Amino acid sequence: MPKRDDLLVEQLWNEAIINYGIKQTRQLLSNECHPTVLKLDIDCRQRHLSNLISIHSRYVHWMEFNEIRLEAEIVVSQLSRIIEDINEETNAQIKKCKSDYRNSISTPNDDDDNNVGSLYIRLCERLLLEITNLEFRRMFPGMHAKMIEWMHEPGSEDKFQPKIVDLIGTIKQDLKDLWSNSHFEVPIKIGVVGYTSVGKSTLVNRFLNVGSLAGDGVAPMSIDKSTYFPLQYDRKEPLIDPDNQNRKTAVTFIDIQGRDRDRSSGDSQTDADRYLYELCKADCDIYVIVFDDELCDEQQKWIDGIEQKLNRKCILVRSKVDEYYLSKFKTLSGVFYALSTPEQRQQFEPNILQQIRLNNAVKNRLVYLVAPDYEPSTSDAQLLLKHNQFDFSRLFDDLSRLAFTARNSRIHSLAQRAVARVINICFRRDYVLNVLKYKIAAGIGSIIPFADQYPRYLSRESIRDVFGIDKDLCQYLSQYQLEISEYKLQTSSFRDCVKVKEEQNHGKSNAKTVGKSLGTAVVAGVTTASDDIVRAFPSAANAMNGAGRVTIVGATLGVGIVISAAVCAWSAHSCGQHIFSYIQRICDDLIQVMDPLIVAIILQLEERVGNNNVSSSEDNTS
Ligand SMILES: Nc1nc2c(ncn2[C@@H]2O[C@H](COP(=O)(O)OP(=O)(O)OP(=O)(O)O)[C@@H](O)[C@H]2O)c(=O)[nH]1
Ligand SMILES: [Mg+2]
């Protein structure tokens, strides 16, 4: 059992306090605040938990007992009651509401200020984790069963069961089942992203076709930050392809937490990378970037990251255009919008719209103008938004079109995550190999230059044996003609099974060149050179097996040579490190190889469905 690292726990807790906006809640509880602000804060938390409960119930029926969901339901009902009580607005009542609020979201019997929100955070984290597990189990039951089986195997080298061929067979079967079940809906995920308070949740609610803000299934909106982690909302009605009314697709909108402008590191690349990491975790097929001001450098990096690193579609939306529209109208016409005549509105509209488009133009991209506000604060805005939706319909249509092209990428992404999960949990084990015997052999072998490399070589071979990387696997993979960029592979294990693409201009090769010119390649060269020395004796190595092959190295050496204990110890230690690092690298490579393999399997299935459709329509005509 690993030892609890208190410092790490504290750091994670502090991070969670910031991410979940607990600081703001603490301030509300300890200082004077307007009841409406307090109410909004409670309402957000209540909606967050309700959202998680409703996603959870997609996978576990309401009637089934689930402890964590039950706990969350109790908190939700307590928060709803407090929201109702706040309406009474007497000072004593507000004080009591604050105390109830604090108790509802914190671990019981804990008065420490640092623990405000501890229960709420725990519930959110646990529900999020359960949802991920449940989604995995439902989509890939075979993979899930295999994972459970492998997780509970006895942890020793001779019994190490996970085999790559089984992994491939299982994911293939799961994907096949998914394809053959025409009723199994795989909703496309559309994520809405941007800086805090630009109107993301408001737009999500419009996409969902939300009428009343009072009900459930409404994304929380507020002047202050109100979304702290990705919230998922299934759209009740499917999206309909505007070009073909028969094509419908289920869709889930993900209201992603905003990037806090006041949490900048000072380096736009670092900030962009951090936010991209959050976007990647949210795992969407299409990302809608919302902005309410000129697009800045960091936002441009989000676009590049989404398209190039995440390989996903990206749509740009300029929100809150009503603000600019109304101020420009006042300047041009000299009157407030609500007091103007229809002729004046008609006269100035084209000019104002043209100006907004010009101000928000982004090179080679379409920018959709929207103003989805539900509760406009002025009569001017009320009137404008009542009659003008700007580009919302066009945006919605284009999104519906795009959603149809995303089904395969959704399944690919889910399958890729499922495979990575099983590899990380079941293959990355420290008992894949009995490290000790290789360490001893390396220690003894260290007395002769390069001889300690031999046990390393053997250990790598054994790891490949244990995982089942052999001729048969290679032959099997070769039929798919997989292509992988050279820089993605860290070991040579799969090089014979896939076509390795050389990429001249990639960062890694540049780094190598730079390294060489600085002379650092000498260090890197040691491993390569000694590997080659060992490879010079492959037939001898193959003739021996297991421990015999390892210990013979030590046994034939040593006569007349003074053994340095320090060198032996270092060598043994470094051999152990090498083995662990090799397991990690081979697992990384396996994840890389599985990626195009999943694509190939999906394409095969797709083709088969296409052929079946053709043959069934031929049957019909005959
Ligand atoms: N004028 C105007 N205000 C809007 C519009 N859309 C949203 N707002 C206001 O902008 C504020 C923030 O809206 P949200 O939808 O909560 O913003 P968000 O981007 O989801 O914020 P976080 O989730 O906290 O990052 C609210 O006060 C909304 O009323 C709009 O079209 N016009
Ligand atoms: Mg929001």
Side-chain angles (χ1 to χ4, degrees):
M1 187 80 169
K3 231 181 115 208
R4 179 188 154 104
D5 184 338
D6 288 335
L7 193 68
L8 183 66
V9 171
E10 195 183 323
Q11 267 181 1
L12 288 172
W13 175 244
N14 290 340
E15 186 81 357
I17 294 274
I18 298 170
N19 290 344
Y20 281 95
I22 297 294
K23 272 190 175 164
Q24 182 192 332
T25 302
R26 261 193 222 156
Q27 272 172 3
L28 291 180
L29 291 175
S30 49
N31 302 332
E32 286 281 304
C33 72
H34 196 278
T36 322
V37 181
L38 181 66
K39 196 172 162 179
L40 269 175
D41 197 68
I42 303 173
D43 185 66
C44 286
R45 309 256 175 237
Q46 193 249 36
R47 284 182 190 281
H48 297 160
L49 284 172
S50 301
N51 181 257
L52 292 176
I53 292 169
S54 93
I55 304 167
H56 193 276
S57 62
R58 263 192 224 156
Y59 306 105
V60 180
H61 193 263
W62 284 105
M63 302 298 284
E64 251 178 80
F65 176 76
N66 181 287
E67 194 182 339
I68 200 77
R69 196 170 74 192
L70 189 70
E71 242 185 297
E73 278 165 356
I74 294 171
V75 175
V76 167
S77 68
Q78 283 171 347
L79 294 180
S80 309
R81 191 180 42 76
I82 300 169
I83 291 171
E84 276 169 28
D85 289 350
I86 288 183
N87 289 338
E88 298 182 19
E89 281 196 27
T90 64
N91 271 351
Q93 190 63 33
I94 298 292
K95 206 171 161 196
K96 181 168 181 309
C97 286
K98 280 188 179 181
S99 158
D100 289 350
Y101 180 31
R102 182 198 179 105
N103 293 337
S104 303
I105 59 170
S106 313
T107 320
N109 309 324
D110 216 333
D111 287 339
D112 184 356
D113 235 19
N114 192 30
N115 270 307
V116 171
S118 52
L119 178 61
Y120 161 82
I121 293 179
R122 184 171 68 81
L123 291 174
C124 289
E125 291 284 322
R126 284 285 307 274
L127 282 168
L128 282 166
L129 184 70
E130 276 203 15
I131 289 166
T132 316
N133 291 339
L134 290 163
E135 188 179 37
F136 168 53
R137 193 172 77 182
R138 180 165 169 200
M139 294 273 302
F140 304 102
M143 287 288 279
H144 183 261
K146 261 277 163 268
M147 187 179 81
I148 300 293
E149 180 194 322
W150 286 340
M151 270 167 76
H152 292 105
E153 62 163 25
S156 76
E157 175 202 1
D158 328 329
K159 305 270 170 51
F160 190 83
Q161 286 171 2
K163 294 280 174 277
I164 295 174
V165 69
D166 291 339
L167 179 83
I168 296 174
T170 315
I171 190 69
K172 202 173 166 183
Q173 187 57 46
D174 275 346
L175 286 169
K176 231 173 167 176
D177 294 345
L178 210 62
W179 243 264
S180 55
N181 182 357
S182 55
H183 298 297
F184 195 96
E185 292 239 22
V186 186
I188 303 306
K189 287 190 177 177
I190 301 178
V192 181
V193 308
Y195 281 121
T196 293
S197 297
V198 291
K200 300 181 295 297
S201 304
T202 313
L203 186 62
V204 165
N205 286 330
R206 289 289 178 198
F207 283 145
L208 293 170
N209 212 0
V210 160
S212 154
L213 296 182
D216 280 344
V218 179
M221 301 174 291
S222 168
I223 300 171
D224 296 317
K225 188 171 172 76
S226 55
T227 313
Y228 299 115
F229 55 89
L231 300 167
Q232 300 191 32
Y233 296 94
D234 292 337
R235 193 173 194 274
K236 284 196 190 84
E237 306 84 22
L239 291 189
I240 300 173
D241 184 351
D243 305 323
N244 179 354
Q245 300 287 314
N246 293 325
R247 297 213 307 175
K248 296 177 183 173
T249 188
V251 67
T252 301
F253 283 98
I254 317 285
D255 184 13
I256 298 178
Q257 69 273 29
R259 222 294 272 146
D260 278 337
R261 282 180 232 240
D262 48 6
R263 280 182 75 192
S264 292
S265 67
D267 173 27
S268 70
Q269 189 61 54
T270 311
D271 292 334
D273 284 345
R274 273 190 201 154
Y275 195 49
L276 268 178
Y277 176 63
E278 297 298 328
L279 304 191
C280 180
K281 279 201 296 186
D283 182 29
C284 301
D285 306 294
I286 302 166
Y287 289 89
V288 177
I289 297 188
V290 183
F291 56 101
D292 63 354
D293 207 342
E294 255 176 63
L295 211 66
C296 70
D297 191 33
E298 188 190 330
Q299 286 160 315
Q300 191 59 55
K301 291 191 168 77
W302 299 344
I303 303 174
D304 297 343
I306 290 170
E307 292 184 338
Q308 286 155 27
K309 291 188 190 154
L310 308 188
N311 210 5
R312 294 287 184 261
K313 292 265 175 347
C314 183
I315 285 186
L316 300 187
V317 173
R318 165 65 156 97
S319 66
K320 303 187 183 179
V321 289
D322 53 313
E323 288 171 357
Y324 178 88
Y325 189 107
L326 292 171
S327 87
K328 189 79 185 165
F329 185 87
K330 176 79 182 15
T331 316
L332 291 177
S333 67
V335 283
F336 285 107
Y337 189 78
L339 303 176
S340 62
T341 61
E343 290 74 31
Q344 278 173 315
R345 290 174 209 160
Q346 240 175 9
Q347 180 191 348
F348 294 112
E349 180 167 296
N351 189 345
I352 299 172
L353 279 180
Q354 193 189 17
Q355 194 60 50
I356 304 177
R357 289 199 195 283
L358 215 62
N359 292 350
N360 294 287
V362 177
K363 203 175 165 197
N364 298 332
R365 285 186 183 273
L366 189 60
V367 175
Y368 299 86
L369 307 180
V370 297
D373 206 3
Y374 274 86
E375 288 167 341
S377 51
T378 62
S379 53
D380 270 8
Q382 268 170 23
L383 191 69
L384 174 68
L385 300 191
K386 198 171 157 193
H387 300 292
N388 203 334
Q389 288 203 324
F390 299 95
D391 296 335
F392 183 81
S393 306
R394 192 170 163 206
L395 165 65
F396 193 74
D397 281 355
D398 286 350
L399 215 47
S400 307
R401 272 189 198 96
L402 267 185
F404 287 96
T405 58
R407 185 174 188 265
N408 285 359
S409 82
R410 169 97 308 257
I411 295 176
H412 170 214
S413 166
L414 288 166
Q416 175 66 355
R417 276 167 190 252
V419 163
R421 187 189 179 115
V422 176
I423 294 172
N424 290 337
I425 293 176
C426 303
F427 284 73
R428 280 187 211 270
R429 295 286 177 98
D430 57 1
Y431 59 83
V432 172
L433 215 58
N434 180 353
V435 179
L436 191 63
K437 67 184 181 193
Y438 293 93
K439 279 169 97 171
I440 294 171
I444 300 170
S446 64
I447 52 179
I448 288 184
F450 299 125
D452 65 330
Q453 298 297 325
Y454 190 58
R456 292 184 182 204
Y457 170 75
L458 293 177
S459 69
R460 289 197 292 274
E461 236 191 21
S462 300
I463 294 169
R464 288 195 286 264
D465 277 354
V466 173
F467 283 167
I469 304 176
D470 53 19
K471 262 191 188 160
D472 289 345
L473 179 75
C474 195
Q475 221 168 4
Y476 178 80
L477 287 176
S478 302
Q479 62 167 322
Y480 286 99
Q481 300 182 338
L482 309 174
E483 278 197 12
I484 299 191
S485 301
E486 187 188 20
Y487 73 90
K488 287 188 176 169
L489 293 178
Q490 300 177 52
T491 72
S492 56
S493 310
F494 297 99
R495 280 178 183 260
D496 297 336
C497 327
V498 299
K499 192 173 162 206
V500 179
K501 280 189 293 179
E502 277 186 31
E503 286 191 20
Q504 293 285 318
N505 295 327
H506 191 266
K508 195 175 168 190
S509 26
N510 289 345
K512 262 191 188 166
T513 328
V514 174
K516 261 185 193 147
S517 65
L518 291 173
T520 49
V522 179
V523 182
V526 171
T527 8
T528 334
S530 49
D531 272 7
D532 289 342
I533 288 168
V534 177
R535 282 203 187 100
F537 307 102
S539 49
N542 285 338
M544 295 179 271
N545 70 350
R549 285 195 292 187
V550 179
T551 43
I552 201 164
V553 183
T556 52
L557 306 168
V559 184
I561 297 172
V562 180
I563 300 174
S564 153
V567 171
C568 288
W570 181 84
S571 209
H573 172 75
S574 120
C575 178
Q577 298 266 27
H578 175 79
I579 292 175
F580 289 132
S581 127
Y582 193 70
I583 294 172
Q584 300 311 320
R585 284 182 287 141
I586 223 169
C587 286
D588 290 344
D589 282 1
L590 180 56
I591 291 176
Q592 294 297 341
V593 171
M594 289 303 288
D595 190 33
L597 179 63
I598 291 168
V599 174
I601 295 172
I602 291 176
L603 288 176
Q604 246 181 18
L605 291 166
E606 188 81 336
E607 218 169 278
R608 210 170 291 169
V609 171
N611 287 345
N612 283 350
N613 286 347
V614 173
S615 60
S616 62
S617 64
E618 278 169 2
D619 290 348
N620 288 343
T621 39
S622 66

